Amino acid sequence: MAQTHAPRTDGARSLGQASQDTAAELKAATVARLRGAHRARFRRARLVTFVLVLMLLALLVASILLGGVKRIPAGDILPAAFGMRTGLADYVIFRIRMPRALAALLAGALFGLSGALYQRLIRNPLATPDIVGISAGAGAGATTMLLFAPAVPFGTSLAGLGGAFALVATVLALSRRGGGVDTYRLVLVGIGLSAVCTAYVNYLFTVAGQHGIAQVMRWLVGSVNDATWEGVSTLAGALAVCGLCTALLDRALGSMALGDQLALGLGTRVGAARIATLLVGAAAAALATSVTGPIGFVSLISGPIAIRLVGADRSVALAVPIGAVIVLGADVLAQHGPLISPVPTGVLTALLGAPYFVWLILRRRQGATA
């Protein structure tokens, strides 16, 4: 009987070995495809980043050179950009155009970062700082400081931060349902609180002097026309700190994208990571708003553009240069565009972002009724 069953045992072993070999081949092929897809996405991300950097450099040059530099010798333009000249070149290039261009670039980067953080965390394209009221809260705080204590060092930035954080706390408190945050309620509550902040700012106009009203009205539209090196340093510091905090939160954001339960299983402190992300996004939007005013819709459109270009995994990082390109490009067009210039930068970003916002709401409404 042993001789009778031996061939069957050998056949079973052969079948088992063949199954294992097939499984190993499938696993190797799957791993190879995943690695190939990862390398392709990485190459695409590098190419997109390279193109965005070139666009930023071209826009910086355009912002400095357009508008008339005929009275400045060509050899003085580049040294003047680094503060190495005096007289007319120093005044036009270093004290006016360079701060304006860098403020537009850095503010756009901060708006793009804040919007992408909120969209990825809440998984709702409408949940951006300017839509849910964070920028309005920052604007209300900064406006109060501009009207009543404009001479306080960094007072506008600190007041903007305070207003933004107060809005974050209020929105979270009012949008909770059960054990979590209802994202639909968060958006509605944010829009309502944004209207409250706008009404508060309008009230401030009734008690402010004529000079204060003119100054704040230009600022509220969103403009980098009066940018200074102090504002540039504020924006640069904000981008460095918020960028570092975002890098530290990247792993937590990646795990929370799989769902809170899986994130908890992977060891992520979901509650702390969510609050930290909300605060980082609010700080980025508030500090940008405190310098340039609420340049609308940049945070709304930067993240979706990044997702379409490189996917969700790298969208937060790529939203930074995309936001910078949008604001700097809008500022160049606002200064020198035919038939429209000169206008505040926020006017052009609103013209670009408002139709997208309407389309996004209509699409979500159709999806909800389908």
Side-chain angles (χ1 to χ4, degrees):
M1 294 182 62
Q3 293 178 353
T4 303
H5 290 286
R8 294 181 182 178
T9 303
D10 292 341
R13 289 176 179 174
S14 298
L15 289 173
Q17 185 65 36
S19 299
Q20 291 178 1
D21 292 342
T22 303
E25 291 175 358
L26 289 174
K27 181 179 179 181
T30 302
V31 170
R33 284 196 298 269
L34 290 175
R35 287 177 176 173
H38 176 74
R39 285 194 295 267
R41 288 195 299 268
F42 182 71
R43 287 194 297 268
R44 181 181 177 86
R46 285 196 304 180
L47 176 62
V48 171
T49 303
F50 178 72
V51 172
L52 289 172
V53 170
L54 289 181
M55 292 176 65
L56 283 174
L57 291 175
L59 289 171
L60 275 173
V61 172
S63 180
I64 294 172
L65 296 183
L66 291 179
V69 290
K70 295 180 180 179
R71 296 169 57 189
I72 300 175
D76 288 346
I77 293 176
L78 184 60
F82 294 94
M84 299 169 61
R85 287 293 184 271
T86 59
L88 182 63
D90 174 74
Y91 179 76
V92 173
I93 302 296
F94 187 73
R95 300 186 184 277
I96 296 180
R97 296 190 180 178
M98 279 296 292
R100 176 169 187 155
L102 292 177
L105 187 154
L106 294 170
L110 285 168
F111 283 126
L113 174 64
S114 64
L117 280 175
Y118 273 55
Q119 288 168 339
R120 186 171 183 187
L121 175 68
I122 304 175
R123 295 190 288 275
N124 187 330
L126 293 175
T128 58
D130 49 353
I131 301 300
V132 302
I134 308 303
S135 296
T143 302
T144 303
M145 187 63 66
L146 278 172
L147 289 177
F148 299 111
V152 176
F154 298 101
T156 305
S157 299
L158 294 176
L161 272 178
F165 287 164
L167 253 293
V168 168
T170 307
V171 168
L172 287 178
L174 295 178
S175 59
R176 295 188 66 85
R177 175 180 289 179
V181 175
D182 186 331
T183 58
Y184 183 71
R185 180 182 291 184
L186 183 145
V187 173
L188 293 180
V189 169
I191 292 174
L193 291 177
S194 179
V196 171
C197 292
T198 302
Y200 168 73
V201 171
N202 290 336
Y203 167 74
L204 290 180
F205 286 165
T206 65
V207 297
Q210 190 66 32
H211 175 71
I213 291 176
Q215 180 184 11
V216 173
M217 278 297 292
R218 186 171 184 82
W219 179 84
L220 282 176
V221 176
S223 175
V224 291
N225 186 47
D226 297 324
T228 62
W229 282 108
E230 179 183 346
V232 170
S233 63
T234 299
L235 293 173
L239 183 59
V241 173
C242 293
L244 176 60
C245 293
T246 301
L248 295 175
L249 290 168
D250 183 67
R251 182 178 178 276
L253 288 171
S255 62
M256 285 191 294
L258 303 173
D260 288 356
Q261 295 301 321
L262 279 176
L264 288 170
L266 293 172
T268 302
R269 298 173 61 185
V270 173
R274 180 175 288 114
I275 292 175
T277 304
L278 289 172
L279 292 179
V280 171
L287 289 170
T289 301
S290 69
V291 175
T292 66
I295 299 179
F297 297 104
V298 179
S299 59
L300 179 70
I301 62 180
S302 298
I305 293 174
I307 291 174
R308 287 184 177 275
L309 289 175
V310 296
D313 292 343
R314 297 180 175 88
S315 61
V316 175
L318 198 69
V320 173
I322 288 175
V325 167
I326 291 173
V327 177
L328 185 54
D331 184 56
V332 172
L333 190 60
Q335 293 182 75
H336 311 293
L339 304 179
I340 59 173
S341 64
V343 294
T345 309
V347 172
L348 290 184
T349 60
L351 288 175
L352 175 68
Y356 173 78
F357 179 60
V358 173
W359 173 80
L360 192 61
I361 291 178
L362 292 176
R363 191 184 68 169
R364 291 181 64 85
R365 182 180 179 184
Q366 291 173 357
T369 56

